[in-house]
């Protein structure tokens, strides 16, 4: 028999803040009915369109919105995107959320509020919030600490309006650049992805926001780069490429949530993979937070994967595998799950297992405390009957945010090619040409609010300043005559604008050609979720526009500077050899065009490095630098897979000299470490940043290995004329891989450490040797080298 509801004079155990979260959760579980239990395992998406708002896959297949009057007396687990569903002023939205929470608390007999979650992939996805660079730009910075600082700022903004959980970061490793969601990833190398994503997790969690790792696991390895396609991946690739970023983030970032992937791997959907969601994630790695469903992912077990005959079976499969919360709205964990318990298909203890995790998290967030107030501190004095009076009182795009967005954008710009034209020396006439020359949204990815939601509300102002490249160039070069001609649209076929573009180019001292992508969702863009590419050729007629300009200006001495504003790498055709300079920027956010203009003028010394390889040809996918010998060029295939610009590549406006390394330990046991040191000197005329990268090559192993793989890196700011000394301790653990028996091992034998400026620019190769027996390692192994830097030597 369930205890009665708490009285005003009693403080039940679940509200006793002196008790640990587990004890509080257990007390509450014991007092709940089955219906009240399942109500805590679902979210509700208030205001989402069941006719197809198209911000989530198959959103048009949602059932009618749930009857809140019928649902809320039993409680509610989560509120889905109260700020990310339509444009709303931050303060007004915070008060509206507080009213919703009070309604939820008053309706259920335990007074439990809902946990509110939002997207935060490139900033808090809310109207008026700072639009930071997309994750692919985070990877280009090679600067985890700056990403941590950004995430902390994002988390503080979310916290200020009453949000508890953020659905980020994405830890998928790029395997095929045709995949539309490449812009959401950090890059094609698991170590880069893991180290940067872990920094993001730390920042978000330090602000009190629950970070959610996604998509667990293998989503980015879908066949042919198609969204939601099957994954045909062996267990070794999964263990050595896909899983390490998640493992690092769980161990070192301490996230409190994980989101399962949509895809199935070798026939097993992630949402129904008990070995993955429970055996590996919880039993081996020790994760103790919540596993949440990707939107409608449990229903997809029936709709898309065909492993469940109905909603009850889908709910049973997901719950047994380890999914705790159904998002974005109730479908399978409602009545279908209750039916499964009543028929005996689902034991109630599985519901209690998931519920305990949910309630412990709510206790940790203070949501079970008797004095919890849903009104944010900044709005406590606001008259709740006049929420409009608070409009504008919460700023989600503060000056500190904008400065941070600008620093990230600047560090993420990658200078791929430069014949000496850059930086531009006070040009008199600039022709700015291309479909991204004068488009505000050209700097935004598909999960930024103006693209993700704002596109459905064209009459509502953007809410943030988004200077176009034309505006930023005009500000950067105030004395220059700037002529802008688009020439073409991003993906259109009309070449009628070529004539105006060519005329502008003829009259200019320099041509800045802005090409790339338009972010969107489900086919409404050239990059973004559901916007996959069949080839890495530039969209539409952009390549033809590039060729027309190069042809027209050949022999005139007028340089063409190609600027890419894109969500993925593209084959650049003739620009690889004939453009005077190539500047790559991956959707750099609201401060992005200012950062690009600064690079063109020389105000910013570019220091970004490629987080993904830029292909030489359009049809070589899937292809990453992280391939085995047979994946690289050979004399038995006519296909050239070598990149035009390699992973880790990037130029700047100064020069560096690296000294030969002093190797103090070149031979080590399989449980030891190697040691060396070397100098990096800035020999140029201005301060700059070098990014030293360490790659490991294993010439002979018991299973096929990548030709090389990144095992460490360090971004080094060095003043002109100064040097720094880099000390490296490389643990043998970093040479581990999954052996023939499926266990991770360190083998004795010869190795090569490549001290590099990119995966194709090895400055020094250091032979190393591991001795002793084969050593088995597990999830407690060392994941990083120890890199220490002495500055100003």
């Amino acid at each position: 028999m369930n205890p009665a509801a708490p009285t005003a004079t009693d403080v039940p155990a679940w509200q006793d803040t002196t008790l640990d979260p587990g004890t509080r959760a257990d007390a509450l579980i014991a007092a709940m009915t089955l219906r009240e239990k399942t109500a805590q395992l679902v979210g509700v998406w208030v205001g989402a369109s069941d006719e197809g708002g198209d911000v989530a896959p198959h959103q048009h297949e949602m059932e009618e919105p749930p009857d809140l009057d019928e649902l809320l007396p039993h409680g509610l687990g989560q509120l889905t995107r109260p700020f990310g569903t339509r444009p709303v002023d931050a303060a007004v939205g915070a008060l509206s959320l507080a009213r919703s929470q009070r309604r939820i608390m008053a309706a259920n007999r335990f007074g439990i509020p809902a946990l509110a979650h939002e997207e935060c992939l490139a900033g808090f996805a809310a109207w008026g919030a700072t639009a930071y660079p997309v994750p692919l730009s985070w990877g280009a910075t090679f600067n985890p600490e700056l990403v941590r600082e950004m995430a902390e700022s994002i988390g503080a903004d979310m916290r200020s309006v009453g949000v508890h959980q953020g659905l980020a970061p994405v830890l998928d490793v790029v395997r095929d650049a045709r995949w539309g969601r490449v812009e959401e990833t950090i890059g094609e190398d698991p170590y880069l992805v893991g180290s940067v994503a872990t920094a993001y997790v730390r920042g978000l969690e330090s602000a009190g926001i629950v970070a959610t790792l996604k998509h667990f696991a293998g989503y980015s390895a879908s066949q042919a780069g198609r969204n939601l396609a099957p994954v045909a991946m062996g267990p070794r690739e999964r263990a050595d490429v896909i899983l390490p970023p998640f493992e690092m983030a769980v161990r070192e970032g301490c996230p409190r949530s994980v989101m399962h992937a949509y895809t199935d791997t070798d026939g097993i959907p992630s949402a129904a993979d008990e070995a993955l969601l429970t055996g590996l994630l919880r039993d081996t790695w020790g994760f103790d937070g919540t596993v949440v469903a990707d939107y409608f992912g449990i229903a997809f077990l029936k709709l898309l994967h065909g492993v469940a005959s109905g909603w009850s079976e889908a709910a049973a499969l997901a719950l047994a595998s380890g999914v705790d919360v159904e998002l974005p709205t109730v479908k399978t964990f409602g009545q279908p799950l209750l039916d499964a318990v009543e028929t005996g298909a689902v034991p109630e203890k599985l519901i209690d297992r998931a519920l305990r995790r949910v309630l412990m998290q709510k206790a940790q967030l203070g949501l079970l405390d008797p004095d919890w107030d849903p009104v944010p501190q900044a709005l406590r004095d606001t008259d709740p009957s006049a929420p409009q009076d608070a409009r504008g009182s919460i700023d989600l795009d503060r000056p500190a945010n904008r400065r941070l967005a600008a620093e990230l954008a600047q560090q993420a710009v990658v200078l791929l090619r430069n014949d000496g034209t850059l930086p531009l020396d006070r040009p008199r006439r600039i022709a700015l040409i291309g479909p991204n020359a004068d488009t505000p949204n050209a700097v935004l990815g598909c999960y930024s609010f103006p693209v993700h939601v704002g596109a459905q509300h064209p009459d509502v102002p953007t809410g943030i300043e988004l200077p176009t490249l034309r505006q930023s160039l005009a500000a950067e070069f105030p004395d220059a005559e700037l002529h802008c001609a688009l020439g073409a649209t991003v993906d259109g076929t009309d070449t009628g604008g070529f004539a105006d573009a060519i005329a502008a180019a003829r009259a200019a001292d320099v041509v800045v050609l802005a090409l790339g992508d338009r972010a969107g969702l489900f086919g409404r863009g050239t990059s973004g979720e559901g916007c996959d590419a069949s080839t890495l050729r530039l969209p539409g007629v952009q390549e033809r526009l590039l060729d027309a300009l190069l042809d027209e200006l050949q022999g005139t001495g007028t340089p063409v500077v190609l600027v890419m504003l894109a969500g993925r790498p593209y084959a650049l055709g003739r620009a690889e050899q004939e453009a005077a300079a190539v500047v790559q920027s991956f959707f750099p956010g609201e401060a992005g065009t200012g950062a690009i203009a600064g690079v063109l003028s020389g105000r910013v010394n570019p220091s970004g490095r490629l987080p993904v390889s830029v292909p030489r040809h359009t049809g070589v996918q899937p292809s990453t630098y992280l391939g085995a010998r047979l994946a690289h060029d050979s004399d038995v295939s006519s296909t050239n897979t070598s990149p035009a610009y390699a992973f880790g590549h990037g130029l700047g406006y100064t020069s560096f000299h690296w000294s030969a390394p002093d190797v103090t330990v070149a031979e080590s046991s399989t449980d030891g470490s190697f040691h060396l040191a070397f100098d990096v000197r800035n020999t140029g005329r201005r301060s700059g940043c070098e990014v030293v990268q360490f790659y490991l090559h294993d010439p002979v192993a018991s299973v096929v290995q990548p030709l090389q793989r990144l095992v460490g890196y360090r971004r080094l700011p060095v003043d002109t004329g100064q040097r720094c000394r880099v000390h490296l301790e490389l643990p043998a653990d970093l040479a581990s891989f999954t052996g023939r028996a499926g266990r991770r091992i360190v083998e004795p034998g010869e190795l090569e450490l490549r001290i590099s400026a990119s995966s194709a620019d090895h400055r020094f190769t250091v032979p190393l040797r591991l001795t002793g027996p084969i050593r088995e390692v597990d999830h407690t192994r060392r994941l990083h080298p120890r890199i220490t830097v002495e500055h100003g030597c």
Side-chain angles (χ1 to χ4, degrees), residues 613-635:
S613 307
V614 173
R616 188 179 306 277
H617 302 290
T618 61
V620 297
Q621 293 296 309
S623 177
T624 77
Y625 98 92
L626 199 69
R629 285 178 176 84
L630 293 181
H632 293 266
D633 286 351
S634 70
D635 57 6

Side-chain angles (χ1 to χ4, degrees), residues 51-372:
E51 297 177 355
D54 291 332
V55 298
H58 293 259
Q59 184 181 340
H60 63 284
E61 296 182 13
M62 286 196 308
E63 294 178 347
E64 290 294 322
D67 183 342
L68 295 181
D69 290 333
E70 191 278 332
L71 177 67
L72 293 186
H74 305 287
L76 180 63
Q78 293 214 14
L79 278 169
T80 292
R81 297 173 64 173
F83 292 86
T85 301
R86 62 176 59 84
V88 59
D89 173 82
V92 175
L95 290 172
S96 176
L97 174 58
R99 287 197 304 272
S100 296
Q101 291 283 31
R102 283 178 171 155
R103 179 186 178 188
I104 292 166
M105 295 166 69
N108 74 84
R109 66 192 183 105
F110 302 107
I112 307 171
L115 186 152
H117 77 258
E118 287 288 353
E119 299 284 359
C120 56
L121 187 70
F124 179 17
W127 186 83
T130 305
Y132 292 95
V134 298
L136 201 58
S137 274
W138 309 351
T141 70
F142 277 68
N143 191 343
E145 181 54 32
L146 187 60
V147 172
R148 185 207 61 77
E149 188 179 347
M150 174 196 66
E152 187 173 0
S153 181
I154 293 170
D157 287 339
M158 297 172 77
R159 187 82 172 182
S160 73
V161 295
V163 174
H164 309 104
Q165 180 172 2
L167 303 187
V170 169
L171 293 93
D172 294 305
V173 179
V174 176
R175 303 302 282 165
D176 189 330
R178 294 174 297 180
W179 191 48
R181 304 190 78 168
V182 166
E183 63 174 68
E184 301 179 41
T185 74
I186 293 167
E188 67 182 42
D189 178 85
Y191 185 80
L192 179 67
V193 172
S195 55
V196 172
T198 298
Y200 183 94
V201 171
R202 286 171 168 163
L204 206 63
E205 289 281 356
S206 71
I209 296 295
V210 175
T212 307
L213 309 185
K214 60 186 192 181
H215 307 87
F216 194 62
Y219 188 22
S220 59
S222 57
Q223 292 179 356
R226 293 181 62 250
N227 195 42
L228 263 172
V231 174
M233 176 173 52
R236 187 167 291 102
E237 181 181 356
R238 192 186 211 191
D240 289 354
V241 177
I242 300 298
L243 294 177
F246 290 95
E247 180 183 10
M248 185 183 295
V250 167
R251 283 183 54 185
E252 300 178 352
C254 301
R256 287 177 283 175
S257 191
V258 169
M259 175 181 282
H260 75 71
Y262 281 137
T263 44
D264 61 72
T265 301
D266 196 24
I268 307 297
S270 295
D273 192 344
E274 185 176 5
L276 178 71
L277 300 181
T278 298
L280 179 65
L281 179 62
R282 296 190 182 279
D283 298 343
T284 300
W285 292 351
F287 175 73
D288 60 1
T290 58
V291 172
V292 300
D294 204 346
Y295 284 13
F296 311 114
I298 300 175
F300 288 172
L301 294 176
K302 172 184 181 294
L303 288 175
L304 301 183
H305 298 293
V307 296
S309 59
W311 305 131
S312 290
E313 188 176 1
L317 279 171
L319 190 69
S321 297
V323 180
D324 303 313
V325 180
E326 181 178 28
L327 298 180
T329 201
V330 58
K331 188 172 184 71
T332 68
F333 273 17
Q335 190 60 48
L337 182 56
L338 291 171
D339 294 343
V341 174
E342 291 181 5
T343 63
V346 172
E348 190 170 347
K349 67 179 181 180
L350 285 182
I351 292 176
D352 290 348
R353 181 182 72 172
L355 177 61
R356 189 173 194 271
R357 296 163 183 161
V358 168
L359 294 179
M360 284 180 63
Q361 196 162 92
K362 289 194 172 185
Q364 292 164 356
L365 291 166
L367 301 184
L368 301 186
D369 296 355
D371 59 350
W372 183 76

Side-chain angles (χ1 to χ4, degrees), residues 712-723:
Y713 60 88
R714 177 60 63 88
R715 184 182 174 93
L716 300 174
V718 188
D719 291 335
T720 181
Q722 297 296 304
R723 71 180 174 93

Side-chain angles (χ1 to χ4, degrees), residues 1-6 12-14 23-37 74 109-110 112 348 352 355 359:
M1 183 175 181
N2 291 322
W14 57 83
T23 300
R24 296 171 70 182
D26 289 339
L28 190 49
I29 291 170
M32 284 178 149
T33 66
L34 179 61
R35 185 74 180 272
E36 288 168 334
K37 290 178 179 181
H74 305 287
R109 66 192 183 105
F110 302 107
I112 307 171
E348 190 170 347
D352 290 348
L355 177 61
L359 294 179

Side-chain angles (χ1 to χ4, degrees), residues 337-624:
L337 182 56
L338 291 171
D339 294 343
V341 174
E342 291 181 5
T343 63
V346 172
E348 190 170 347
K349 67 179 181 180
L350 285 182
I351 292 176
D352 290 348
R353 181 182 72 172
L355 177 61
R356 189 173 194 271
R357 296 163 183 161
V358 168
L359 294 179
M360 284 180 63
Q361 196 162 92
K362 289 194 172 185
Q364 292 164 356
L365 291 166
L367 301 184
L368 301 186
D369 296 355
D371 59 350
W372 183 76
D373 189 344
V375 180
Q377 183 66 44
L379 298 175
R380 295 279 166 85
D381 297 329
T382 302
D383 182 355
S385 65
Q388 297 301 320
D389 293 347
R391 183 180 296 276
S393 61
I394 293 180
D395 186 1
L396 298 180
D397 191 28
R398 296 169 285 122
N401 288 13
R402 296 197 295 272
R403 287 192 295 270
L404 186 55
E407 181 65 21
L408 274 154
Q410 289 171 13
Q411 292 193 19
V413 175
V414 186
L415 180 58
L416 298 182
R417 170 180 167 82
N418 186 20
D419 68 358
T421 296
L422 297 183
L424 298 176
D425 185 16
R426 297 187 297 275
R428 291 184 300 115
R429 297 182 301 273
I430 301 173
L432 176 60
I433 296 169
N436 281 336
D438 201 22
T439 304
N441 283 5
V443 295
L444 300 179
C446 78
Y447 267 80
S448 65
F449 186 88
V451 172
H452 201 76
V453 177
Q456 301 172 52
H457 302 271
D459 296 332
V460 178
T462 305
I464 54 175
E465 293 184 10
L466 291 172
T468 68
L469 187 56
R470 179 186 61 80
Q471 292 170 321
S472 291
L473 285 182
E476 195 75 28
F477 299 98
D479 298 327
E481 178 184 331
L482 182 64
H483 188 165
C484 185
L486 302 186
T489 61
V490 167
D491 56 350
T493 59
D494 185 4
T495 60
F498 282 22
D500 287 344
I502 290 172
R506 285 186 189 135
D509 298 322
V510 61
V511 173
V512 176
L513 179 59
L515 304 181
D517 278 317
R518 181 186 68 255
L521 287 163
F522 308 117
R524 298 195 295 272
T526 60
S527 175
E529 185 173 1
C531 297
D532 310 314
S534 59
T535 173
L536 294 183
R537 186 181 302 278
L538 286 165
V541 294
Q542 292 186 65
E543 186 174 1
R544 292 175 62 185
L545 176 61
L546 167 66
D547 290 347
L549 289 170
L550 291 175
D551 287 340
E552 185 66 30
L553 298 176
Q554 190 171 24
T556 66
T558 303
V560 175
V561 176
L562 174 60
V563 173
M564 292 295 299
L565 284 158
R568 62 162 65 85
Y570 284 102
L572 301 178
R574 290 167 54 189
E576 179 194 339
Q577 298 294 329
E578 299 180 39
V582 179
V583 176
Q584 175 75 65
S585 184
F586 298 108
F587 290 144
E590 65 181 50
T593 59
I596 292 169
V599 167
L600 298 183
S601 73
R603 175 174 55 84
V604 174
N605 189 352
S607 59
R609 300 294 186 267
L610 281 175
V612 286
S613 307
V614 173
R616 188 179 306 277
H617 302 290
T618 61
V620 297
Q621 293 296 309
S623 177
T624 77

